[in-house]
Structure formats: structure tokens, C-alpha cells
Amino acid sequence: MLDIRALRQDGDAIKAALAKRGFDLDLDAFAALDACRKQADVRSQDLQAERKKASKQVGQLIQSGMDVEQAKAQVAESLKTIDQELDQEVANAKAIQEEIRDFLMGIPNVPQDAVPAGNDEDDNVEVRQWGTPKTFTFEPKDHVDVGEALGQGGLDFERAAKLSGSRFAVMTGGLARLHRALIDFMLDIHSSEHGYEEVYVPYLVGPEALRGTGQLPKFADDLFKMEGERELYLIPTAEVPVTNLAADEILDAEALPRRYTCHTPCFRSEAGSHGKDTRGMIRQHQFEKVELVQLVRPEESDAALEALTGHAEAILQKLDLPYRVVILCGGDLGFSSSKTYDIEVWLPSQQRYREISSCSNFRDYQARRMQARWRNPETGKPELVHTLNGSGLAVGRTLVAILENYQNDDGSVTVPEALRPYMRGLERLQ
């Protein structure tokens, strides 16, 4: 959520910056709401003053010769009228504050100056490439054909559809073990080499947690909401519960930066994605992800984004999977992000790079929603932290990349060397 004081002072500059991402900020609507709020506040203060003045009139009326009971009755009637109007004005002010909050909740984050202009993914700008795509002596298959050919130790979409419908997968045998190996491998690297603390969190969260990180109210259609006495949602990403660990807290300066890594399943309805990547594991309703989350001092967040992106890249380098990094243009930028790098892995069957991780700096946008703060030792006052997160990595898409890049002519799949210790030394799935 944006700072309301910044909107009042620099509304035109914020409007111009948001135009980079195709968002038209209605400053007139905001000004009208803010004026109504101010008017309601002033009227409430006036009524409070009138009430205070009226309550003193009993003594004055008695001194003027009025009967005590008559004076009390007259003042009580006057107070009753003021109180009724005051209650109405307080309710009006509260309603206006809710309107302003809803208005602010609907405004995306302001893009950083480094974010390029553009409308969609075609306008994203490549930053760097790593690795050389493999040249095959045969026509490489896509991950679905490779995985299904592994038989009892591979992919099964037909039985998954029998259980849950489309966009789910069943994995068995060696492939299921490889999937689990990837999770352990990623967590080990991030916790032992990159300085992240591993955490375990709930897979169900309340609406406030989703509002805190920006999924609500904007992306309600993309969430799976539970039925029951409590309003709970299946998490779309570990970003939600992990970042909200700092909600409504004031952290000591010595506690920053905080780095968390977490493995969870993720659940997304994929609203609006009909017809996109319907084959295979690229876009599913349930998938696994190892997440990276950082809470840092404001002056450290730009450097933290570069470091976090490098931590995600390190996983692909250790697996020897070719990839590239792009910076998202304004039109492709996520709702809450101020700057995002996408890491895209090479898929031989598509002869193109596909997203495997998004690494974003949200600055104080999420922290303001969550009231996640730290105490600045120089001022002694609480200030908003900056939050960052990225996939380190999406496990299913990493598995897809391995199946395609490590496939062999005989239908087998070579296990990357980095994963063999997690596979009890197994070198090949076949």
C-alpha cells in the first residue's frame, strides 16, 4: 500500500510513475475522498467542543435562576442531540476511512526508475545469460512424453485427472524421489551456503495475511477459499505466511536482515489462464516451491534484490541448467512489486526460455499493509522494513527442465550430479 502522505504531496509524480505500468491513478477521486475525511474529522472535533461546552451549562443555568432539575433536563436534551449527531459523524468518518483504505488497496506499487517501459512480457529486457543450451543428436521430447515414458517410475496425468481433474499430476517411483531430492537440495543450499533460516509455516491463512502481501483484494479469483466457520485460504505461495511472520511487529535493528527459506505446496486456481500451458506441469493448480524471503533496512533493499536473485541462480548453475535473467517492464510487473527479475530456464522442446523464478523488491509496500517495522537506533522510532521474495526455485518447473535437458535417446533421464547424493547415488531414471 502506498503512503497516503506521499499521495497528498506528490500525487502527480506518483501518477506519472504508475503510468509506466499502465495504471491510471484517479487523483480527483482520491482528493474528493480525502476532503470528505477532513470535513468529517473537523465536524467531529466541533461537536466534541460543543458537547464539552454544553455540559458546563448546568451550573450557568442554575446561577441564572433556573430550577436545578429543569437545568439538568435542558442540558441533557441538548447533549442528546449533540451525541446523536456526533455518533452519526463518527460513523460517517469511519465509512470514509474504509473507502480510502479500499482505494489505496487497489493501487499497485510504484515502479522503480530502473524498470523499463513496456506493455507485456515481450517488452522485458534481458540482463544476462548463463550456460549453453545442449545440442541433441535426436529430436528432444517435451517433459510430458519423457515423464510418461518412464512408466511406473514417472508421470501420470490420467490418474491425476481421475482424482482431481485437469492441471494436477501424479509422480511415482524414481521421479517422485527426484522431485523430493530437488526440495531437499534447494533447502540445503539456501540454508547452508546463502544464510537463510529454514522455516515451516501453515498452508492455510486468513484474509489479513493475504491482504498484507497484496493477494487480496486484487487477486481473490486466483485463490482457493475454504468452506467452514473460519475464513481461510490455501496459500498461493509461501511468500504469504513467511512474510507475515513480521506483521504487527517491531524488529530490533540487530535482527535485520532476516532471511527465510521455506518449502510449501502452492495452490492457485489459475483464473484467466484458460488455454495457457494446459499440457504438462508448467501451470498447475497444485505445485511445490522453495521460497526465499528477506526483511531488510530500506537502504539495503536494492542490494538485497541482486543477492537474492543470485541465490536463485545458484541452484540452476549447480544443476547445470542454462538460463537467462530478464528485468520485467512496467506492464508485466507484479501488483505489489517495485522491481522484478525473472529467471527463465531453457526448455529444449520449446526452444525457448521459460520462467522458473521471479525475484522482487516490494520496498515498503507490503510492510505498510502488514505494519512490519524495525526500530531505527539513530532515531529510536519505528520505521517500515523493506520486503523481498523470490522462488528458489519452483520445484515442478525445475523438474520439467531436468527431464528435458537431461533426457537421453533411449528414453532414460540422467540424474544431475548435484542431486545424486539425494538419490542414494542413482545416476539414471529409466
Side-chain angles (χ1 to χ4, degrees):
M1 188 162 62
L2 300 184
D3 186 350
I4 191 170
R5 293 170 299 181
L7 274 178
R8 290 169 182 154
Q9 296 170 6
D10 300 309
D12 290 333
I14 292 173
K15 180 181 176 71
L18 288 172
K20 183 188 286 188
R21 63 189 303 157
F23 184 85
D24 184 14
L25 176 61
D26 192 342
L27 286 176
D28 290 338
F30 170 71
L33 282 172
D34 208 31
C36 288
R37 175 207 55 80
K38 185 176 181 180
Q39 184 179 7
D41 287 345
V42 169
R43 182 56 183 155
S44 294
Q45 292 169 5
D46 290 343
L47 288 168
Q48 290 280 10
E50 285 183 31
R51 193 184 194 289
K52 188 175 182 181
K53 181 179 179 181
S55 63
K56 296 179 180 179
Q57 289 181 340
V58 174
Q60 296 172 357
L61 291 173
I62 293 173
Q63 288 179 359
S64 67
M66 184 178 289
D67 177 72
V68 173
E69 294 303 321
Q70 184 180 0
K72 288 182 178 180
Q74 181 174 323
V75 171
E77 185 65 28
S78 178
L79 288 173
K80 181 180 178 181
T81 301
I82 293 173
D83 285 344
Q84 287 175 344
E85 188 175 353
L86 181 59
D87 289 344
Q88 184 178 353
E89 206 60 52
V90 168
N92 182 42
K94 184 178 179 181
I96 294 171
Q97 288 285 13
E98 286 297 318
E99 282 190 65
I100 291 175
R101 183 172 183 267
D102 291 344
F103 181 88
L104 293 174
M105 283 283 189
I107 304 174
N109 203 352
V110 176
Q112 296 184 30
D113 292 340
V115 173
N119 299 318
D120 52 37
E121 62 181 15
D122 293 333
D123 296 319
N124 295 337
V125 177
E126 184 177 293
V127 177
R128 57 184 170 270
Q129 288 188 13
W130 185 92
T132 303
K134 178 181 177 181
T135 300
F136 290 86
T137 58
F138 58 93
E139 185 69 26
K141 299 177 181 178
D142 75 2
H143 70 281
V144 177
D145 292 335
V146 174
E148 289 181 336
L150 293 172
Q152 291 300 315
L155 273 175
D156 191 332
F157 293 102
E158 187 174 337
R159 282 194 291 175
K162 179 178 67 175
L163 296 172
S164 307
S166 62
R167 297 199 174 185
F168 290 91
V170 167
M171 287 176 275
T172 55
L175 194 62
R177 187 194 300 178
L178 183 61
H179 184 266
R180 175 162 53 92
L182 278 168
I183 295 167
D184 290 342
F185 169 69
M186 293 176 189
L187 289 173
D188 283 351
I189 296 300
H190 294 314
S191 59
S192 65
E193 296 185 16
H194 299 153
Y196 290 81
E197 179 184 3
E198 184 177 348
V199 292
Y200 173 85
V201 293
Y203 302 160
L204 290 165
V205 295
E208 280 306 312
L210 290 157
R211 274 190 279 270
T213 46
Q215 280 77 20
L216 284 179
K218 178 72 173 177
F219 302 105
D221 291 342
D222 215 22
L223 301 171
F224 285 108
K225 185 178 181 180
M226 309 301 292
E227 292 185 0
E229 294 182 1
R230 298 172 58 193
E231 186 179 358
L232 291 171
Y233 297 79
L234 288 167
I235 59 171
T237 166
E239 168 198 350
V240 178
V242 175
T243 310
N244 273 278
L245 290 174
D248 299 314
E249 292 192 3
I250 301 176
L251 306 174
D252 292 333
E254 296 76 18
L256 298 178
R258 285 196 176 180
R259 290 178 171 180
Y260 297 118
T261 185
C262 182
H263 157 252
T264 66
C266 306
F267 306 91
R268 299 181 186 177
S269 71
E270 295 294 344
S273 65
H274 304 292
K276 296 179 182 178
D277 297 309
T278 55
R279 177 177 168 84
M281 295 179 64
I282 296 292
R283 195 182 297 273
Q284 295 200 297
H285 293 310
Q286 174 186 315
F287 59 96
E288 312 287 310
K289 191 148 61 79
V290 171
E291 195 76 0
L292 305 175
V293 172
Q294 293 196 27
L295 309 172
V296 304
R297 302 183 187 201
E299 66 270 18
E300 297 173 351
S301 67
D302 289 342
L305 177 61
E306 303 300 323
L308 185 148
T309 305
H311 298 151
E313 290 180 68
I315 299 297
L316 291 173
Q317 292 176 11
K318 290 178 183 293
L319 295 173
D320 199 21
L321 290 170
Y323 68 88
R324 71 171 186 165
V325 178
V326 299
I327 182 171
L328 299 194
C329 70
D332 201 30
L333 199 62
F335 183 80
S336 300
S337 176
S338 69
K339 180 181 178 182
T340 295
Y341 291 117
D342 267 8
I343 304 173
E344 300 176 345
V345 69
W346 177 258
L347 294 186
S349 70
Q350 299 184 20
Q351 288 292 292
R352 59 181 290 206
Y353 293 97
R354 295 300 306 270
E355 179 197 337
I356 197 169
S357 172
S358 280
C359 302
S360 301
N361 184 355
F362 304 99
R363 291 193 165 175
D364 61 8
Y365 187 87
Q366 292 180 327
R368 183 171 288 104
R369 288 173 172 238
M370 296 184 299
Q371 283 302 288
R373 294 168 291 171
W374 69 294
R375 192 172 299 281
N376 189 329
E378 295 181 4
T379 64
K381 296 180 180 179
E383 298 178 10
L384 295 171
V385 298
H386 278 197
T387 63
L388 306 95
N389 84 269
S391 303
L393 302 161
V395 180
R397 293 193 179 192
T398 308
L399 188 69
V400 167
I402 289 174
L403 289 176
E404 294 205 7
N405 284 278
Y406 281 88
Q407 63 180 293
N408 301 305
D409 196 13
D410 62 359
S412 66
V413 177
T414 301
V415 176
E417 287 189 22
L419 296 178
R420 291 175 189 176
Y422 297 86
M423 296 287 291
R424 302 176 189 170
L426 186 67
E427 297 183 4
R428 186 170 292 202
L429 302 181
Q430 53 189 356

